[in-house]
Amino acid sequence: MKKGKLAIAAALSLSLVASACTLSTKDETAEQSASPSGAPVDTTPVDIELLAQNSNEADVNIIRDQLSKNGFNVKLNLQPDYGTFKAQQDAGNYDIAISSWTTVTGNPDYAVRSLFKTGGDYSIMSDPEIDTLIETASTQTAAQYAETYKQLEQKLVFDKAYIAPLYNSVKSQAFSQDVLNKDTVRLSKSRSLPWEVLDFKDTSKRAKDPIILQSTTPTLTSLDPIKGNDGSINIINTNQYVRLLNLTDDDKLTAEGSLSYNFAIAEGNSEYYFILRDDINFAAIKDKLAVDTGERVGGDDVIFSLLRAKDKNSVPNHRTYTLHEHISKVELVTDAAALEAVKISGSSDTVKSGLEKGLPAKIAALVSDKKESSNKDGKYQVVKLTTTKAFPQVLNYLAHQSAGIVSKKQVEAINTYDVAKFDPNKDIAYGDQNTVTEGAKYNNTLYTSGPYILSSKTDYEANFYKNPAYMKGTANEPKVNNIKVRFIKDMDSTLSALRSGEIHLFYSVPETKYDVVKGDTKLALQTLPSNAVSYLLFNTKNREVAKSADLRKAVLYSINQDEFLAYYKNNKIKAVSTVSPLVKTGLEVKADSAKVKDFLAKYKASK
């Protein structure tokens, strides 16, 4: 995610246009005009089918106008929500689709691997040159990879025109400053909103009153962190499952608020060490309330979680395996002397000394049984992760929600089906949203390691309770007992709900509504440049756009980003690719009608 942030859906209920697209070519009835040389020029508009969600209505109108002015006849395939949009996309019923991606890990590899690499979770492309550049950049440090990502953008956008960028978004949220303590409401560049720090302005409300958030999507992809990577689930799973690492608000890696006290990178950048906390137990639901299972979150759960995260075949519909495919081994270190023998990358310090910084007690022993871990007595668990090659960006992926730690015991008890023969009509997988949806199928079997656990949901709202055994007595213990997420699809209705007090925080406020929020003294608005990029994705599996780079380039140079910025009152930023917010390559896409005519002429001449 975004997804991606992929991003990120809403619905207005418009009519479906799902007709097949037939691209116009020269024929006996083609409209023709004379060129300066007297030769006939084919001016027949080229049909192009645009797939989008109804929530993208403004972007659809701008794109349609720009393409129409440049020789295209735009057919619209508008879908009411992300589910139906994805079904149309999977069926190949489009030439171009409005897509978005949010890099929620703060590293550029996430911005390209799933989207554009052959076999990527969300990729329909297969280009060896693109694959090579992605792999090369992944082995490089930030100081080295700028030039590689520049080459990648050149191939992806200009040479091959696999995507056409629209804009880079601003991240925003508005909240009731009469209800919430403004100092506890964080807006991070990549990380989802951490719920455990949220607090009321009136702290006497913590025990009984819920903080009410908002989401657009009541259908949750999966509550198993490796099976969902979209706007319906990212913020939820981020707050339900603890990870080995987190990101700061400005995308720096940190152990703060994670399962690790500290982490260390060994010489060679392929071995990574994590020393674990002993103050988190898994939470479960009993009688619709959160309870402490008494089961500690430990090294065996970490090993199990990360190995299944990297294994494409560990679950059906695995959505995030490419993020973790560079993990080779995950194992416990039980000999403290082994930590003394390894140096930290770029330092003369040992891994042991690096891991001991700020601990409750120095390392006296390393234990294999999580029940024997006692940090106050110097007894710790240390996990060692080895990558298939030097891969510094692996740490960012460990901060992603898909690297959330699940209970080995509970997941193995639920997932007893044969993955190869999985039948969604009879097999029930861990994290199936139906098991938490109120009704006949309700049977909540979640074990969550994070600060909150989902008790139940309806199409109206989801109800979460704090994990009663999550870092108790620390700054990261959840402040508020109950979080509710209200499902409101329409952005105008969401803003009205915020202003009336029905909800307390509105995530992703539309840029066109900033002035309304600023004009309401009860509300506060937070904004910062985000890692979210919207773009047109070309169908590279079928249709004429898959065969003709000239046709794709004609679309590319029809897009004028200045018109998007003007519509959104300059609350958007120009982009070249999904890498744009993370690496400054110096490249820029400029609309050019002359190039459009030239590429369309070349395309028609090839027919």
Side-chain angles (χ1 to χ4, degrees), residues 15 170 178 229 320 372 475 605:
S15 300
V170 170
D178 288 346
N229 193 21
T320 56
E372 296 178 2

Side-chain angles (χ1 to χ4, degrees), residues 14 79 115 145 169 219 248 253 261 294 368 384 395 470 576 585:
L14 299 181
Q79 296 297 319
L115 297 175
Y145 61 45
S169 291
T219 301
T248 63
L253 287 161
Y261 276 118
S368 58
K384 175 185 175 183
L395 292 176
Y470 186 83
V576 178
T585 64

Side-chain angles (χ1 to χ4, degrees), residues 47-103:
D47 286 350
I48 199 89
E49 184 175 8
L50 171 61
L51 172 63
Q53 296 175 64
N54 294 343
S55 57
N56 295 125
E57 183 180 10
D59 291 349
V60 166
N61 289 335
I62 295 171
I63 294 165
R64 178 176 57 189
D65 289 346
Q66 291 179 352
L67 291 174
S68 297
K69 291 175 183 177
N70 281 281
F72 289 94
N73 175 42
V74 182
K75 297 182 177 183
L76 300 183
N77 183 348
L78 300 177
Q79 296 297 319
D81 54 41
Y82 178 73
T84 55
F85 168 88
K86 191 68 170 64
Q88 287 290 302
Q89 188 178 46
D90 290 345
N93 295 330
Y94 70 101
D95 293 307
I96 48 177
I98 296 182
S99 303
S100 63
W101 184 258
T102 302
T103 299

